[in-house]
Amino acid sequence: MSETLFQKIAARQIPAAIVYEDDQVLAFRDIHPQAPVHVLIVPKRVIPRIAEAGPQDQALLGQLLLKAAEVAQILGLANGYRLVINNGPDGGETVPHLHCHILGGRHMAWPPG
Ligand code: AMP
């Protein structure tokens, strides 16, 4: 199978502004930011989307959310932030490698668009 865009970023084949990395996850700035702070946090092991995750992914998904909160703290988002996971066409997913958006630095409206 060909590598995903985010695997290529993790492998440094495509440049990105990486803000956090450990053995399980990578976080880097979104190329088209939708807020003053917009970072994607991605599990290195590919799960295409949350709808395709299973019980074998439970620990990794928990790790992804815990690390998202840690990265938000590193980014200085003490006043709050939003975590977003887009799933499938109606969800606005464009990259089929599960990732969580960390958005902050401004007030987030509700409902989202
Ligand atoms: P989604 O639409 O939820 O699948 O999110 C994919 C995100 O990846 C979008 O917000 C894009 O702006 C972002 N993106 C696409 N290519 C790159 C890239 N080369 N570096 C950083 N972010 C990217």
Side-chain angles (χ1 to χ4, degrees):
M1 255 175 59
S2 64
E3 288 199 324
T4 70
L5 172 65
F6 295 159
Q7 283 179 298
K8 290 177 183 167
I9 288 175
R12 278 38 177 200
Q13 292 164 7
I14 292 175
I18 292 170
V19 298
Y20 178 87
E21 180 171 26
D22 63 23
D23 57 333
Q24 293 198 72
V25 304
L26 180 75
F28 53 90
R29 294 193 189 273
D30 196 293
I31 205 166
H32 293 126
Q34 302 301 314
V37 177
H38 187 174
V39 163
L40 303 177
I41 182 160
V42 178
K44 289 184 173 176
R45 178 163 67 73
V46 179
I47 301 168
R49 59 193 55 80
I50 193 67
E52 288 174 44
Q56 71 280 6
D57 302 313
Q58 186 169 328
L60 184 57
L61 293 175
Q63 189 70 356
L64 186 69
L65 286 182
L66 289 170
K67 287 294 172 180
E70 197 176 309
V71 170
Q73 190 174 20
I74 291 168
L75 294 168
L77 299 176
N79 207 41
Y81 51 88
R82 182 168 292 170
L83 302 180
V84 173
I85 295 175
N86 296 324
N87 186 95
D90 278 1
E93 174 201 312
T94 59
V95 177
H97 179 158
L98 179 68
H99 51 282
C100 178
H101 298 253
I102 304 170
L103 296 146
R106 66 168 169 81
H107 179 76
M108 297 293 150
W110 192 264

